[in-house]
Amino acid sequence: MKKALILSMLLLPVLLLASVAEAEHAYIGTKNCKKCHIKQWKSWSETKMANAFETLKPGVVAERKTELGLEPDKDYTTDAECVRCHVTGYGKEGGFVNIDETPDLANVGCEMCHGAGGGYTQDGYMTLKNKEYKRAELIKVGLIHPVGEAVCVECHNEQVPIPDYTFDYEAMKAEGIHENIPLKYNHD
């Protein structure tokens, strides 16, 4: 009995960490984020990121593709080099696979910058049932991923097929990608 108790005490933290890690990889799509973050979703939905996958389709933004030396009538929706930055979670566990299997992950959604949403929506965290969640608690368990330059340059880098492309993180940060609301809890 004593051995079983000790064993369960040793395994409990491992199981808890495993469930958090598993939930972190559960991509839920922007429709789920929208339920609680409507202001941010609305302002994001007016950005190029909200329609990034569409630009990979044949004939869409044809003039711009021609300027960049791309074939305007080519279907880039299955080109891994393009798709990886025009969808959410491509090449990651639980991320975008293709438009038929994972249509809710097409475009550059919330989870591309903030991490997979499954971890956020666990019981006791950021759920409709728990409107009083504490951001500080999400940070403690590793569910909040800092959104900084390192996240942006995963796509905004020298591999972008735009001649003389330079990404100015500070300028983009000042402009913002969606409406921000003040943090309720300090996360220092």
mmCIF file of all heavy atoms in Angstrom, residues 142-169:
data_model
loop_
_atom_site.group_PDB
_atom_site.id
_atom_site.type_symbol
_atom_site.label_atom_id
_atom_site.label_comp_id
_atom_site.label_asym_id
_atom_site.label_seq_id
_atom_site.Cartn_x
_atom_site.Cartn_y
_atom_site.Cartn_z
ATOM 1 N N GLY A 142 2.982 27.535 -18.039
ATOM 2 C CA GLY A 142 3.617 27.545 -19.359
ATOM 3 C C GLY A 142 2.664 27.630 -20.527
ATOM 4 O O GLY A 142 3.030 27.294 -21.650
ATOM 5 N N LEU A 143 1.429 28.064 -20.304
ATOM 6 C CA LEU A 143 0.471 28.118 -21.403
ATOM 7 C C LEU A 143 0.533 29.411 -22.196
ATOM 8 O O LEU A 143 0.058 29.470 -23.314
ATOM 9 C CB LEU A 143 -0.952 27.909 -20.882
ATOM 10 C CG LEU A 143 -1.215 26.523 -20.315
ATOM 11 C CD1 LEU A 143 -2.643 26.437 -19.801
ATOM 12 C CD2 LEU A 143 -0.958 25.444 -21.342
ATOM 13 N N ILE A 144 1.090 30.455 -21.628
ATOM 14 C CA ILE A 144 1.214 31.710 -22.362
ATOM 15 C C ILE A 144 2.601 31.747 -22.976
ATOM 16 O O ILE A 144 3.599 31.642 -22.275
ATOM 17 C CB ILE A 144 1.018 32.933 -21.446
ATOM 18 C CG1 ILE A 144 -0.368 32.899 -20.847
ATOM 19 C CG2 ILE A 144 1.311 34.224 -22.191
ATOM 20 C CD1 ILE A 144 -1.370 33.850 -21.382
ATOM 21 N N HIS A 145 2.635 31.855 -24.271
ATOM 22 C CA HIS A 145 3.901 31.939 -24.981
ATOM 23 C C HIS A 145 4.174 33.407 -25.278
ATOM 24 O O HIS A 145 3.312 34.089 -25.818
ATOM 25 C CB HIS A 145 3.839 31.156 -26.298
ATOM 26 C CG HIS A 145 3.474 29.728 -26.102
ATOM 27 N ND1 HIS A 145 4.331 28.815 -25.563
ATOM 28 C CD2 HIS A 145 2.325 29.065 -26.346
ATOM 29 C CE1 HIS A 145 3.737 27.641 -25.503
ATOM 30 N NE2 HIS A 145 2.519 27.767 -25.967
ATOM 31 N N PRO A 146 5.337 33.903 -24.928
ATOM 32 C CA PRO A 146 5.614 35.314 -25.215
ATOM 33 C C PRO A 146 5.600 35.572 -26.724
ATOM 34 O O PRO A 146 6.191 34.824 -27.477
ATOM 35 C CB PRO A 146 7.006 35.556 -24.638
ATOM 36 C CG PRO A 146 7.517 34.253 -24.175
ATOM 37 C CD PRO A 146 6.449 33.219 -24.324
ATOM 38 N N VAL A 147 4.879 36.590 -27.131
ATOM 39 C CA VAL A 147 4.842 36.947 -28.544
ATOM 40 C C VAL A 147 5.859 38.058 -28.730
ATOM 41 O O VAL A 147 5.669 39.178 -28.287
ATOM 42 C CB VAL A 147 3.437 37.425 -28.975
ATOM 43 C CG1 VAL A 147 3.443 37.803 -30.446
ATOM 44 C CG2 VAL A 147 2.413 36.345 -28.701
ATOM 45 N N GLY A 148 6.935 37.705 -29.359
ATOM 46 C CA GLY A 148 7.999 38.661 -29.590
ATOM 47 C C GLY A 148 8.560 38.492 -30.979
ATOM 48 O O GLY A 148 8.020 37.759 -31.815
ATOM 49 N N GLU A 149 9.652 39.150 -31.220
ATOM 50 C CA GLU A 149 10.265 39.129 -32.548
ATOM 51 C C GLU A 149 10.572 37.710 -33.024
ATOM 52 O O GLU A 149 10.405 37.395 -34.193
ATOM 53 C CB GLU A 149 11.537 39.983 -32.533
ATOM 54 C CG GLU A 149 12.142 40.159 -33.904
ATOM 55 C CD GLU A 149 13.258 41.189 -33.928
ATOM 56 O OE1 GLU A 149 13.642 41.686 -32.850
ATOM 57 O OE2 GLU A 149 13.726 41.497 -35.027
ATOM 58 N N ALA A 150 10.995 36.842 -32.121
ATOM 59 C CA ALA A 150 11.342 35.464 -32.500
ATOM 60 C C ALA A 150 10.149 34.738 -33.129
ATOM 61 O O ALA A 150 10.322 33.933 -34.046
ATOM 62 C CB ALA A 150 11.851 34.691 -31.286
ATOM 63 N N VAL A 151 8.952 35.019 -32.650
ATOM 64 C CA VAL A 151 7.752 34.407 -33.217
ATOM 65 C C VAL A 151 7.528 34.935 -34.634
ATOM 66 O O VAL A 151 7.273 34.167 -35.563
ATOM 67 C CB VAL A 151 6.522 34.682 -32.327
ATOM 68 C CG1 VAL A 151 5.245 34.228 -33.003
ATOM 69 C CG2 VAL A 151 6.682 34.009 -30.971
ATOM 70 N N CYS A 152 7.632 36.228 -34.799
ATOM 71 C CA CYS A 152 7.370 36.863 -36.106
ATOM 72 C C CYS A 152 8.367 36.425 -37.178
ATOM 73 O O CYS A 152 7.975 36.183 -38.322
ATOM 74 C CB CYS A 152 7.412 38.382 -35.967
ATOM 75 S SG CYS A 152 6.223 39.055 -34.795
ATOM 76 N N VAL A 153 9.640 36.349 -36.819
ATOM 77 C CA VAL A 153 10.657 36.049 -37.831
ATOM 78 C C VAL A 153 10.670 34.585 -38.262
ATOM 79 O O VAL A 153 11.419 34.221 -39.160
ATOM 80 C CB VAL A 153 12.079 36.514 -37.406
ATOM 81 C CG1 VAL A 153 12.122 38.016 -37.232
ATOM 82 C CG2 VAL A 153 12.559 35.785 -36.169
ATOM 83 N N GLU A 154 9.812 33.778 -37.669
ATOM 84 C CA GLU A 154 9.668 32.419 -38.185
ATOM 85 C C GLU A 154 9.161 32.479 -39.628
ATOM 86 O O GLU A 154 9.481 31.622 -40.432
ATOM 87 C CB GLU A 154 8.715 31.597 -37.314
ATOM 88 C CG GLU A 154 9.336 31.191 -35.999
ATOM 89 C CD GLU A 154 8.405 30.332 -35.159
ATOM 90 O OE1 GLU A 154 7.570 29.602 -35.740
ATOM 91 O OE2 GLU A 154 8.525 30.387 -33.935
ATOM 92 N N CYS A 155 8.387 33.505 -39.948
ATOM 93 C CA CYS A 155 7.885 33.690 -41.312
ATOM 94 C C CYS A 155 8.425 34.952 -41.969
ATOM 95 O O CYS A 155 8.697 34.961 -43.159
ATOM 96 C CB CYS A 155 6.358 33.724 -41.320
ATOM 97 S SG CYS A 155 5.639 32.126 -40.950
ATOM 98 N N HIS A 156 8.537 36.014 -41.205
ATOM 99 C CA HIS A 156 9.015 37.288 -41.746
ATOM 100 C C HIS A 156 10.541 37.296 -41.700
ATOM 101 O O HIS A 156 11.144 37.843 -40.783
ATOM 102 C CB HIS A 156 8.444 38.466 -40.937
ATOM 103 C CG HIS A 156 6.963 38.592 -41.059
ATOM 104 N ND1 HIS A 156 6.371 39.283 -42.096
ATOM 105 C CD2 HIS A 156 5.955 38.118 -40.292
ATOM 106 C CE1 HIS A 156 5.056 39.218 -41.947
ATOM 107 N NE2 HIS A 156 4.777 38.525 -40.868
ATOM 108 N N ASN A 157 11.140 36.668 -42.721
ATOM 109 C CA ASN A 157 12.598 36.535 -42.759
ATOM 110 C C ASN A 157 13.101 36.601 -44.203
ATOM 111 O O ASN A 157 12.324 36.880 -45.112
ATOM 112 C CB ASN A 157 13.029 35.231 -42.072
ATOM 113 C CG ASN A 157 12.355 34.013 -42.688
ATOM 114 O OD1 ASN A 157 12.309 33.856 -43.902
ATOM 115 N ND2 ASN A 157 11.828 33.152 -41.844
ATOM 116 N N GLU A 158 14.359 36.306 -44.387
ATOM 117 C CA GLU A 158 14.976 36.423 -45.721
ATOM 118 C C GLU A 158 14.439 35.416 -46.732
ATOM 119 O O GLU A 158 14.698 35.529 -47.921
ATOM 120 C CB GLU A 158 16.504 36.310 -45.618
ATOM 121 C CG GLU A 158 17.029 34.985 -45.122
ATOM 122 C CD GLU A 158 17.020 34.819 -43.610
ATOM 123 O OE1 GLU A 158 16.788 35.803 -42.875
ATOM 124 O OE2 GLU A 158 17.218 33.691 -43.142
ATOM 125 N N GLN A 159 13.660 34.444 -46.286
ATOM 126 C CA GLN A 159 13.088 33.461 -47.216
ATOM 127 C C GLN A 159 11.802 33.958 -47.882
ATOM 128 O O GLN A 159 11.283 33.317 -48.787
ATOM 129 C CB GLN A 159 12.831 32.143 -46.487
ATOM 130 C CG GLN A 159 14.114 31.474 -46.037
ATOM 131 C CD GLN A 159 13.855 30.231 -45.196
ATOM 132 O OE1 GLN A 159 12.735 29.909 -44.859
ATOM 133 N NE2 GLN A 159 14.920 29.537 -44.862
ATOM 134 N N VAL A 160 11.283 35.082 -47.431
ATOM 135 C CA VAL A 160 10.090 35.668 -48.036
ATOM 136 C C VAL A 160 10.423 35.993 -49.493
ATOM 137 O O VAL A 160 11.459 36.594 -49.767
ATOM 138 C CB VAL A 160 9.676 36.954 -47.274
ATOM 139 C CG1 VAL A 160 8.574 37.693 -48.000
ATOM 140 C CG2 VAL A 160 9.257 36.615 -45.861
ATOM 141 N N PRO A 161 9.554 35.593 -50.430
ATOM 142 C CA PRO A 161 9.876 35.821 -51.846
ATOM 143 C C PRO A 161 9.621 37.250 -52.316
ATOM 144 O O PRO A 161 9.073 37.478 -53.385
ATOM 145 C CB PRO A 161 8.954 34.825 -52.560
ATOM 146 C CG PRO A 161 7.768 34.744 -51.680
ATOM 147 C CD PRO A 161 8.310 34.863 -50.268
ATOM 148 N N ILE A 162 10.019 38.215 -51.509
ATOM 149 C CA ILE A 162 9.854 39.616 -51.871
ATOM 150 C C ILE A 162 11.246 40.233 -51.982
ATOM 151 O O ILE A 162 12.012 40.198 -51.009
ATOM 152 C CB ILE A 162 9.018 40.381 -50.806
ATOM 153 C CG1 ILE A 162 7.624 39.751 -50.695
ATOM 154 C CG2 ILE A 162 8.926 41.853 -51.138
ATOM 155 C CD1 ILE A 162 6.795 40.288 -49.552
ATOM 156 N N PRO A 163 11.588 40.774 -53.139
ATOM 157 C CA PRO A 163 12.917 41.372 -53.307
ATOM 158 C C PRO A 163 13.166 42.480 -52.288
ATOM 159 O O PRO A 163 12.282 43.282 -51.994
ATOM 160 C CB PRO A 163 12.891 41.932 -54.731
ATOM 161 C CG PRO A 163 11.764 41.233 -55.411
ATOM 162 C CD PRO A 163 10.777 40.867 -54.341
ATOM 163 N N ASP A 164 14.362 42.488 -51.714
ATOM 164 C CA ASP A 164 14.776 43.510 -50.750
ATOM 165 C C ASP A 164 13.837 43.620 -49.545
ATOM 166 O O ASP A 164 13.655 44.686 -48.980
ATOM 167 C CB ASP A 164 14.901 44.884 -51.425
ATOM 168 C CG ASP A 164 15.876 44.850 -52.580
ATOM 169 O OD1 ASP A 164 16.931 44.190 -52.436
ATOM 170 O OD2 ASP A 164 15.576 45.465 -53.617
ATOM 171 N N TYR A 165 13.253 42.495 -49.159
ATOM 172 C CA TYR A 165 12.325 42.484 -48.027
ATOM 173 C C TYR A 165 13.077 42.681 -46.716
ATOM 174 O O TYR A 165 14.084 42.029 -46.461
ATOM 175 C CB TYR A 165 11.561 41.160 -47.970
ATOM 176 C CG TYR A 165 10.627 41.047 -46.783
ATOM 177 C CD1 TYR A 165 9.402 41.691 -46.790
ATOM 178 C CD2 TYR A 165 10.981 40.305 -45.662
ATOM 179 C CE1 TYR A 165 8.536 41.593 -45.715
ATOM 180 C CE2 TYR A 165 10.119 40.197 -44.578
ATOM 181 C CZ TYR A 165 8.900 40.844 -44.612
ATOM 182 O OH TYR A 165 8.046 40.747 -43.540
ATOM 183 N N THR A 166 12.601 43.594 -45.911
ATOM 184 C CA THR A 166 13.155 43.816 -44.579
ATOM 185 C C THR A 166 11.993 43.874 -43.606
ATOM 186 O O THR A 166 11.033 44.630 -43.823
ATOM 187 C CB THR A 166 13.939 45.147 -44.505
ATOM 188 O OG1 THR A 166 14.960 45.118 -45.498
ATOM 189 C CG2 THR A 166 14.558 45.331 -43.140
ATOM 190 N N PHE A 167 12.062 43.090 -42.567
ATOM 191 C CA PHE A 167 11.014 43.085 -41.553
ATOM 192 C C PHE A 167 11.440 43.988 -40.410
ATOM 193 O O PHE A 167 12.491 43.812 -39.815
ATOM 194 C CB PHE A 167 10.786 41.656 -41.042
ATOM 195 C CG PHE A 167 9.768 41.574 -39.946
ATOM 196 C CD1 PHE A 167 8.438 41.851 -40.204
ATOM 197 C CD2 PHE A 167 10.139 41.221 -38.663
ATOM 198 C CE1 PHE A 167 7.489 41.777 -39.195
ATOM 199 C CE2 PHE A 167 9.197 41.132 -37.646
ATOM 200 C CZ PHE A 167 7.867 41.407 -37.913
ATOM 201 N N ASP A 168 10.604 44.962 -40.119
ATOM 202 C CA ASP A 168 10.879 45.903 -39.037
ATOM 203 C C ASP A 168 9.955 45.560 -37.873
ATOM 204 O O ASP A 168 8.804 46.007 -37.813
ATOM 205 C CB ASP A 168 10.646 47.338 -39.518
ATOM 206 C CG ASP A 168 11.021 48.380 -38.478
ATOM 207 O OD1 ASP A 168 11.155 48.035 -37.276
ATOM 208 O OD2 ASP A 168 11.162 49.559 -38.856
ATOM 209 N N TYR A 169 10.473 44.761 -36.961
ATOM 210 C CA TYR A 169 9.667 44.291 -35.835
ATOM 211 C C TYR A 169 9.109 45.440 -35.000
ATOM 212 O O TYR A 169 7.930 45.446 -34.655
ATOM 213 C CB TYR A 169 10.480 43.341 -34.950
ATOM 214 C CG TYR A 169 9.746 42.959 -33.695
ATOM 215 C CD1 TYR A 169 8.667 42.070 -33.744
ATOM 216 C CD2 TYR A 169 10.099 43.496 -32.466
ATOM 217 C CE1 TYR A 169 7.968 41.735 -32.603
ATOM 218 C CE2 TYR A 169 9.401 43.156 -31.309
ATOM 219 C CZ TYR A 169 8.342 42.282 -31.387
ATOM 220 O OH TYR A 169 7.649 41.950 -30.251
#
